[in-house]
Amino acid sequence: MTDASRVQQITAALTAYHGGPPGVRPTLSPPIRGGAVLEVVELPLNVPVLNPDSFRIAPRLADHPDRELVERDPFSRRAQTIVSDLVRASHRQVEALKESLVDEGQDTPGVITRKGKLVNANTRCVLLRELVDEGRLPAHTTIKVAVLPVDITTSEELQLESVLQKQREYKDEYNLVSELMMIEKLHEGAQMSDAQIAKSLRVTGGPSRVRALRRVLLLMERTRMLPSPPLPLSYFVSERDQTQNWLELLKEVDRIDSESGRGAGDAHIMRWLTAVAVGLDSVHKLRPAQGAWIEELAVGVLAESGAAGSALASAVTVELAAPEGADTLPGLDLLGEDLGDPKSGDEQTVRQLMNVTLAASLSDGGSVELPGGSTLSASDVLESVEAAVKGSLATLKRRQTDANALNRPTASLAKAQQYLSDALDALEDVIDLAEFEPYRQALAAAAEQATETLELILSTAGVDDDAAVS
């Protein structure tokens, strides 16, 4: 169908709508232009074109080998086929929606432009066409759509889709990557401020949350470029919401970069990504994962976990050799000779383990090539790394628990000291008041009890009063 024919059919449907018999006509008032009332018409399924700019398919389209074709000629037959496939693949409740369309029909109209582009309801259009092809719906099945004003702007379209897709029926909520791309497109394409986006999408946390989420998208881009080869953006699409996981990663990477320079957080990201690649993406499980835990713990666990783990540990471990002659010239390091940064070898170890683990997670169950040319089955790699990561995280958590227990007496005394300072301030406020006299004895008793407790703490800790004072 040509563009002109598509416009003609929509115009004819609107003419029939207004020229029909008197009575209640279906309308829709989407959140646009103060709740403008739109006419709802029914169109043959071959009239609408699918929306190539839909936020839902954005992560998968960004990775698609024919992305440029879709961008160049979005309404061509080939481009629309690609978009249709991506629309179906991106919806996580396809079968439920499909059965609903058969049993109950389309209960909520989509929204369409005067030129025939669907703003939303793309999945419903794809599935209705599919059901007709399967013979489960008649060939004359139509799709209900509310027609937008002829002068609708691109910015209004973007805002409208972002709001419509937050509504729920059998719709599938956007995954995190789609939501982040939607926010960025509203910011850049629709020129909306963080405050406007927060209000439009009803984002809990307001503008600051929107700003953080835009930075998460940048972090995703940084993260996907660290492996070799780079990851597709769609790798981060998950069945479960991972927002908090990414926000905590962002916070830690910001801290590392601010303390050690831009890019210093890459090693932390690579360790994090290794854990995520074997399915250990729980926020609570990953919180203990601080510092060089891959190099100092996980590789050692791998080396002692059987033949596959040992082979993997040996293959990914990078040991930087000292410069030639360094071991034959005593004191050379004192003369300023750079013997290499041992941490750089550790970082290469982390990178290689990450690359192998990601290759295994992306494989179809075959073998994975290790550094050096040997191979292991993908399942052996994933099982070995998962066990090593779990063991390392358990050790980290135990260490942190032990450290907290060891520090608890001192931390509790610090709190007590603050309370005592508050008591002294409060006493100075009332000490000269006659009304305080009845409370003086109770204060003395409480102070004496506190003193006895402090003496007992010193005695239990094996510290005498003189040493404590000095």
Side-chain angles (χ1 to χ4, degrees), residues 71-314:
E71 292 174 347
R72 185 173 62 252
D73 193 7
F75 304 126
S76 66
R77 183 184 297 274
R78 173 60 183 152
Q80 284 287 292
T81 298
I82 293 171
V83 173
S84 178
D85 292 341
L86 294 178
V87 165
R88 198 185 196 287
S90 299
H91 200 289
R92 293 169 291 185
Q93 299 184 45
V94 163
E95 294 308 319
L97 176 54
K98 197 170 179 181
E99 292 307 312
S100 172
L101 289 170
V102 172
D103 297 338
E104 305 169 18
Q106 181 191 353
D107 56 354
T108 304
V111 178
I112 198 170
T113 68
R114 294 294 176 112
K115 293 183 178 180
K117 183 179 76 173
L118 287 170
V119 175
N120 71 327
N122 289 270
T123 307
R124 280 171 282 179
C125 185
V126 168
L127 296 183
L128 285 169
R129 290 171 177 173
E130 190 175 298
L131 288 166
V132 169
D133 290 341
E134 293 172 356
R136 299 180 65 189
L137 289 178
H140 61 268
T141 297
T142 57
I143 183 171
K144 297 180 215 175
V145 288
V147 184
L148 288 166
V150 69
D151 61 343
I152 195 75
T153 66
T154 300
S155 176
E156 287 175 316
E157 282 185 36
L158 292 172
Q159 293 180 54
L160 184 57
E161 184 195 353
S162 69
V163 174
L164 290 174
Q165 289 297 349
K166 287 292 184 179
Q167 299 172 354
R168 299 183 184 179
E169 309 139 8
Y170 272 98
K171 291 194 184 81
D172 181 28
E173 292 185 73
Y174 280 156
N175 60 66
L176 174 61
V177 185
S178 293
E179 183 176 2
L180 296 179
M181 296 184 78
M182 172 176 65
I183 288 173
E184 185 60 22
K185 200 161 189 177
L186 290 174
H187 182 73
E188 295 295 332
Q191 297 294 301
M192 293 174 66
S193 68
D194 292 335
Q196 290 172 323
I197 295 172
K199 182 177 180 181
S200 176
L201 301 184
R202 299 177 183 176
V203 176
T204 302
S208 60
R209 174 78 167 194
V210 171
R211 191 157 45 251
L213 291 175
R214 290 198 294 108
R215 295 193 62 235
V216 166
L217 185 59
L218 295 176
L219 178 60
M220 279 188 178
E221 186 64 23
R222 175 178 173 180
T223 299
R224 80 178 193 88
M225 297 304 295
L226 287 174
S228 180
L231 289 171
L233 191 59
S234 56
Y235 183 83
F236 302 125
V237 174
S238 172
E239 290 294 321
R240 295 181 299 167
D241 183 31
Q242 296 292 308
T243 305
Q244 189 59 34
N245 202 341
W246 280 97
L247 287 171
E248 294 201 10
L249 177 64
L250 176 65
K251 182 179 179 180
E252 182 62 14
V253 171
D254 279 350
R255 183 191 67 78
I256 296 171
D257 282 350
S258 65
E259 291 179 358
S260 304
R262 172 66 181 172
D266 285 355
H268 180 77
I269 297 173
M270 290 189 289
R271 298 183 194 105
W272 178 89
L273 193 51
T274 302
V276 169
V278 293
L280 299 178
D281 56 359
S282 165
V283 174
H284 302 293
K285 290 181 179 178
L286 285 174
R287 276 178 183 152
Q290 305 295 321
W293 62 275
I294 288 282
E295 312 92 296
E296 296 175 0
L297 292 173
V299 173
V301 175
L302 270 177
E304 299 175 359
S305 63
S310 177
L312 178 56
S314 178

Side-chain angles (χ1 to χ4, degrees), residues 294-422:
I294 288 282
E295 312 92 296
E296 296 175 0
L297 292 173
V299 173
V301 175
L302 270 177
E304 299 175 359
S305 63
S310 177
L312 178 56
S314 178
V316 301
T317 299
V318 176
E319 295 181 1
L320 297 186
E324 184 178 353
D327 56 347
T328 60
L329 297 174
L332 186 61
D333 56 327
L334 300 179
L335 300 177
E337 182 71 20
D338 183 7
L339 299 183
D341 178 5
K343 292 184 179 179
S344 62
D346 289 342
E347 185 166 319
Q348 289 182 45
T349 296
V350 173
R351 187 180 298 275
Q352 294 198 149
L353 181 61
M354 172 194 66
N355 283 333
V356 172
T357 306
L358 286 170
S361 74
L362 291 166
S363 74
D364 293 325
S367 61
V368 177
E369 184 175 351
L370 306 182
S374 60
T375 60
L376 278 177
S377 71
S379 60
D380 280 347
V381 170
L382 294 176
E383 288 174 8
S384 298
V385 176
E386 181 181 0
V389 171
K390 283 183 177 178
S392 300
L393 293 180
T395 299
L396 289 168
K397 186 174 182 179
R398 185 173 61 253
R399 286 179 180 176
Q400 291 179 9
T401 301
D402 292 344
N404 289 338
L406 293 172
N407 188 55
R408 185 180 174 189
T410 304
S412 297
L413 276 176
K415 290 181 181 179
Q417 174 61 35
Q418 183 60 55
Y419 282 123
L420 289 171
S421 296
D422 291 343

